[in-house]
Amino acid sequence: MSNDRDRHDGDDDHALRVSKIRDGTVIDHVRGGQALNVLAILGIDGSEGEELSIGMNVPSDRLARKDIVKVEGRELSQDEVDVLSLIAPDATINIVRGYDVVEKHRVERPTVVEGVLSCPNPGCITTGNEPVTSRFSVLEDGVRCSYCETIVRDEIASLIDT
Amino acid sequence: MRHDHLITSKQLSRADIETVLDRAAEIDADPSAVADRHAETVLGLLFFEPSTRTKMSFETAMKRLGGDVVDMGSVESSSVKKGETLADTVRVIEGYADALVLRHPKQGSATMASEYVDVPLVNAGDGAGHHPSQTLLDLYTIRENAGLEDLTIGIMGDLKYGRTVHSLAYALTNFDARQHFISPESLQLPREVVYDLHQQGGTTGIREHESPEEVLPSLDVLYVTRIQRERFPDENEYQKVAGEYQIDAETLEAASDDLTVMHPLPRVDEIAPEIDATDHAAYFEQAHNGVPVRMALLDLLLSEQGGDGDE
């Protein structure tokens, strides 16, 4: 049964889920439990009137459990999509216009992310009262603060600067 | 050497290092030849942490090049006490000085500060991060005493928080040195540093140990750093390791007669005073080398900025 449910968000059949958005973005194949972090990393909290739909821990062939985020009326930029790769490396992005999926692609890991994550090192200059934007280089298996050089491999989502 | 700032020894190639060391040797041989080389040049000293050797050697170096220094003084007597940010401080002092030397307790402070200024900035210690000018004088001392080719070095003590250790380890990868890191488990090299050393291809020449005995006979240089008592969670844990990392005449019986013992200073009890008068001791010479090496560094950085260098 889980296969059937997963296909509703797959290439074969967007009718049941994706087409509910007229114009916007569907972020699919987010690892289970990461949907709220996806919103945080995109700076979306609903306060600006965004129309959001979130599915969490939906059965999935590829991920066993996945989350789905739908953002009505907003097309994510490539930069925003790339940053998602830090916590959702398997995500697929569907850009929807007029109920049709006009673009569909996988996220790609950026080389650098700025202003998105907070450094966990309390001795880092970015944790002080300085006018500095956090910057992390993206490693194969984590991120690294460009200032204090601390490497973070686990729980990157906990560093999201909300 | 083509660098606007010196933030970390990782940015230094072997050629860069040799350029500085060769220039330092020239200056060491004839300091009077550069006595007016940077007349009317002003160096800004920004020390947000206490410092004796580094600060005074930079000051001496600038004055022996014919220049002068402006010193923000202690944090307590500066605008930092009023809440001024580092970013503002360096932008202000940049207007007074032709180059800046920064020591700050926060890691990454020199990187951030360098983004706000156009004059050359030298990192003189950023928390537990880097201390590249110390590394240059360390390398100068090693070259003078043991040579940098086919070098086997033991680096012992607080490797976790020791910025001089991190900078030296990076720089030594340029020379394919065999590096033995000796520390209690709780003070081993940070994983970031190990990661970098591996990235720089130093994996074959890097070993970690908890005791100096097993490697001491093979060493050309033993670089000792202070184990910082205050880092330990309790006194008992400190006492377990403190004695193991004290070098005295008995310890050195197992070492080569040619072993060079170094220490960035200040020392507390890591090296017994009885070593001072032996041929092993190079730590006071090491401290003194700070002046010609920093003269060379400042000369190269200032000359590249269109100063009065004539090379």
Side-chain angles (χ1 to χ4, degrees):
Chain A
M1 289 302 290
S2 63
N3 291 350
D4 291 340
R5 294 170 73 178
D6 191 50
R7 276 200 298 275
H8 292 164
D9 286 298
D11 289 335
D12 298 338
D13 182 6
H14 289 280
L16 291 180
R17 296 186 189 221
V18 176
S19 64
K20 289 177 184 173
I21 285 183
R22 188 175 70 183
D23 299 295
T25 304
V26 175
I27 307 164
D28 198 359
H29 299 108
V30 175
R31 287 180 181 174
Q34 292 291 329
L36 298 180
N37 288 327
V38 165
L39 293 175
I41 215 166
L42 295 173
I44 297 172
D45 61 7
S47 63
E48 309 218 346
E50 305 98 330
E51 188 178 319
L52 303 172
S53 301
I54 300 171
M56 295 186 76
N57 294 312
V58 177
S60 163
D61 276 353
R62 198 196 307 170
L63 301 176
R65 293 282 173 180
K66 68 174 184 177
D67 289 359
I68 305 167
V69 176
K70 304 176 186 181
V71 186
E72 179 71 52
R74 177 170 167 183
E75 293 185 11
L76 299 182
S77 70
Q78 189 61 48
D79 285 346
E80 289 176 310
V81 168
D82 289 346
V83 169
L84 285 179
S85 70
L86 300 180
I87 59 169
D90 307 298
T92 50
I93 308 298
N94 301 280
I95 303 297
V96 180
R97 293 177 194 149
Y99 297 105
D100 289 331
V101 175
V102 295
E103 288 180 35
K104 183 182 181 76
H105 51 85
R106 298 282 292 271
V107 297
E108 292 183 15
R109 293 173 71 77
T111 55
V112 175
V113 291
E114 290 192 69
V116 176
L117 307 173
S118 294
C119 184
N121 176 10
C124 177
I125 191 68
T126 62
T127 66
N129 185 34
E130 297 291 339
V132 57
T133 301
S134 73
R135 186 171 66 236
F136 287 78
S137 56
V138 178
L139 309 176
E140 279 187 17
D141 57 347
V143 294
R144 181 174 209 181
C145 177
S146 299
Y147 291 93
C148 74
E149 306 184 341
T150 294
I151 294 174
V152 181
R153 291 199 169 90
D154 302 317
E155 300 187 8
I156 293 172
S158 67
L159 306 181
I160 295 169
D161 194 5
T162 55
Chain B
M1 190 171 126
R2 291 286 167 196
H3 299 293
D4 294 331
H5 310 291
L6 180 57
I7 307 299
T8 161
S9 63
K10 283 191 281 187
Q11 72 189 80
L12 296 174
S13 67
R14 178 175 179 144
D16 290 335
I17 292 167
E18 289 176 340
T19 297
V20 176
L21 302 195
D22 290 346
R23 185 73 179 124
E26 290 173 9
I27 290 171
D28 215 358
D30 186 10
S32 63
V34 293
D36 296 318
R37 187 168 168 78
H38 291 283
E40 299 182 20
T41 299
V42 175
L43 180 66
L45 301 177
L46 305 171
F47 280 70
F48 291 76
E49 279 184 336
S51 170
T52 305
R53 282 155 300 282
T54 303
K55 185 176 177 182
M56 291 184 71
S57 69
F58 266 113
E59 183 169 358
T60 306
M62 190 70 257
K63 289 181 174 176
R64 287 191 177 172
L65 289 168
D68 209 340
V69 299
V70 288
D71 183 348
M72 79 170 201
S74 69
V75 167
E76 284 67 29
S77 65
S78 73
S79 292
V80 177
K81 192 72 174 173
K82 301 172 186 171
E84 185 178 57
T85 63
L86 172 61
D88 279 0
T89 301
V90 294
R91 279 183 286 190
V92 170
I93 309 303
E94 177 187 31
Y96 307 155
D98 303 292
L100 301 175
V101 177
L102 173 67
R103 171 169 291 188
H104 195 279
K106 289 278 193 179
Q107 282 174 261
S109 52
T111 300
M112 188 209 74
S114 71
E115 294 172 354
Y116 282 93
V117 297
D118 292 323
V119 300
L121 184 145
V122 178
N123 180 10
D126 60 333
H130 303 277
H131 195 355
S133 69
Q134 174 72 40
T135 289
L136 289 168
L137 72 92
D138 290 342
L139 293 173
Y140 185 81
T141 308
I142 292 170
R143 192 171 78 166
E144 294 281 298
N145 284 272
L148 285 164
E149 304 301 331
D150 196 30
L151 177 72
T152 302
I153 182 170
I155 303 178
M156 187 174 81
D158 179 357
L159 311 183
K160 183 176 183 180
Y161 300 104
R163 55 193 172 200
T164 64
V165 169
H166 307 159
S167 288
L168 179 59
Y170 291 137
L172 284 171
T173 61
N174 284 300
F175 299 92
D176 296 325
R178 292 174 291 278
Q179 301 190 59
H180 295 273
F181 296 101
I182 307 154
S183 72
E185 188 176 3
S186 57
L187 293 176
Q188 287 178 339
L189 284 174
R191 61 181 177 169
E192 286 81 15
V193 176
V194 174
Y195 174 87
D196 286 336
L197 293 176
H198 282 240
Q199 290 292 107
Q200 292 182 4
T203 50
T204 56
I206 294 168
R207 298 285 185 275
E208 294 185 277
H209 312 268
E210 288 193 38
S211 168
E213 280 76 17
E214 57 193 278
V215 294
L216 191 59
S218 68
L219 300 181
D220 301 307
V221 172
L222 178 60
Y223 190 98
V224 185
T225 65
R226 183 172 67 92
I227 291 188
Q228 300 165 92
R229 192 176 204 145
E230 63 275 17
R231 306 288 190 193
F232 283 76
D234 66 62
E235 180 68 15
N236 288 337
E237 289 300 310
Y238 169 76
Q239 292 299 342
K240 283 180 187 172
V241 296
E244 291 185 46
Y245 297 88
Q246 191 175 48
I247 299 299
D248 56 20
E250 186 180 345
T251 314
L252 294 190
E253 284 178 7
S256 159
D257 290 342
D258 296 328
L259 176 73
T260 298
V261 178
M262 297 173 61
H263 193 303
L265 304 179
R267 67 172 159 174
V268 179
D269 58 1
E270 307 81 55
I271 301 174
E274 66 198 25
I275 305 297
D276 297 358
T278 71
D279 290 338
H280 295 301
Y283 28 92
F284 292 115
E285 171 195 345
Q286 182 185 355
H288 296 160
N289 286 337
V291 173
V293 169
R294 286 175 173 128
M295 287 172 76
L297 177 62
L298 290 173
D299 182 37
L300 290 163
L301 287 173
L302 289 165
S303 297
E304 288 195 4
Q305 296 297 312
D308 57 358
D310 56 7
E311 290 183 337

